[in-house]
Amino acid sequence: MDAMVVTGGRRLKGRVRAGGAKNAALPIMAASILAEGPMRLKDVPDLADIRTMTRLLKTLGVRVEREPDGDMILRSPRRTTRNRAPYKIMRTMRAGICVLGPLVARRGKAEVSLPGGCAIGDRPVDLHLKGLAALGARIRIRHGYIVGGCRRLHGAEMYLGGPFGSSVTGTENILMAAVLAKGTTVIDCAACEPEVRDLARVLVKMGAQIYGVGSPRLVVEGVDHLTGCEHTVIPDRIEAGTLLLAGAATHGDVTVEGARWDDLFALVSVLREIGIEVQHFDDTIRVRASRRPKSVDVTTLPFPGFPTDLQAQMMALLTVADGISVVTEKIFPDRFMHVAELGRMGAEIRKEGNAVVVHGTRTLSGAEVMASDLRASAALVIAGLVAGGKTTISRVYHLDRGYQRLERKLRRLGAAIRRVKQ
Ligand code: EPZ
């Protein structure tokens, strides 16, 4: 099991590039089940979650190959009886739920393990099942599996909002089912995340008819067949945001390529509010911080709100801001596994329900800490970059799920960080 060793106190300077977006690539890979021809994807990052989705699709009879230049080619079988997504794969990556809609739509049957919960909280799929049932699928839960079937789905109007607003993979699943349904489907309270938009763009390239892309109201005219296509996955706004926050937290001067202004506007607005200088040109954003950041209140919301996937990393920066900040988590109310670990580094944080009060301190002190989930791991790396002394972060396999060799990118910016075998 690997660990990350970080020696803090260095200001990050230089230029790095964000990789392809994990949370766009995963549903787009699942969409290959719908295609009656090969799908060629560019900029698919080489991450643990991508390898898990690859394993899952191969279990479902899809041929997945990586060419020497990194392109990913996916070929779905004409006919197969391999329609079961096993628990042993699903429990490691809940995004596997994205195969459910395509399986029911294209093959007429699916047996997909319920994903279960994870470190950031309960991960229900009731909205996914509600949407599929609205499209005419017969859905049953049997021995921990979702068993779905339908000869041909039919269009329907549905409201897909839940207690925490829209659902990203819920919208993606229903969208991938509706494109082959007979008739018109209207999805209200659809998620508007850039990754959902990228999936919709791929489906349109494959021949789907989708209107309102990027809005909370999607209208789909079902078609009978979808072809393969070629697509370049959008850059990862969460990786880009993590790198920008690392630059800001270390009072550095960091330029991130592949950082799309419209995708990161909530983050850059908060960075400007706390006194960070932010410039942008094309798909590049530069942050410069010459003095201690000010405190600020941050609330996570569905896109275009402040992303929940940057909450932990933002909190790491606020632990050394000047003043008291309140971070409120409206998407995953329990997404605070990083709080205790930051506390071990000297952060003064008090949890109050789905919010935490952060009393900024002058600095943190390096310590041995443990990663618990993907974004909490990134927060601990940022805290280690800021802290005096050495920080050892164990269980970095969590980090590897969503960041491709993050330590290399940070070293290129001047960080003292290395991966060690534990
Ligand atoms: C996606 O998860 C992302 N994962 C998550 O990123 C991200 O944190 C999340 O969206 C929110 O932006 C992928 O895209 C693969 P949701 P998803 O359905 O789709 C509740 C990362 O770090 N809900 O939008 O699972 C749910 O409990 C990962 O890369 C229901 O109540 O999230 C949550 O409170 C972590 N019923 C809220 O909605 C449902 O049927 C938003 O969840 C579905 C969700």
Side-chain angles (χ1 to χ4, degrees), residues 387-403:
K390 190 172 85 167
T391 298
T392 302
I393 304 163
S394 58
R395 299 190 179 183
V396 284
Y397 60 84
H398 290 293
L399 197 69
D400 296 337
R401 290 190 52 183
Y403 295 92

Side-chain angles (χ1 to χ4, degrees), residues 87 90-95 97 113-117 123 125 144 146:
Y87 175 63
M90 291 291 291
R91 69 184 167 81
T92 63
M93 184 191 67
R94 73 174 309 285
I97 193 74
S113 166
L114 283 162
R123 307 294 294 274
V125 292
I146 303 162

Side-chain angles (χ1 to χ4, degrees), residues 144 163 319:
T319 62

Side-chain angles (χ1 to χ4, degrees), residues 22-23 94 123-127 167-169 309 331 375:
K22 164 179 87 81
N23 289 350
R94 73 174 309 285
R123 307 294 294 274
V125 292
D126 56 302
L127 298 174
S167 165
V168 171
T169 51
D309 290 350
I331 309 293
R375 307 305 176 183

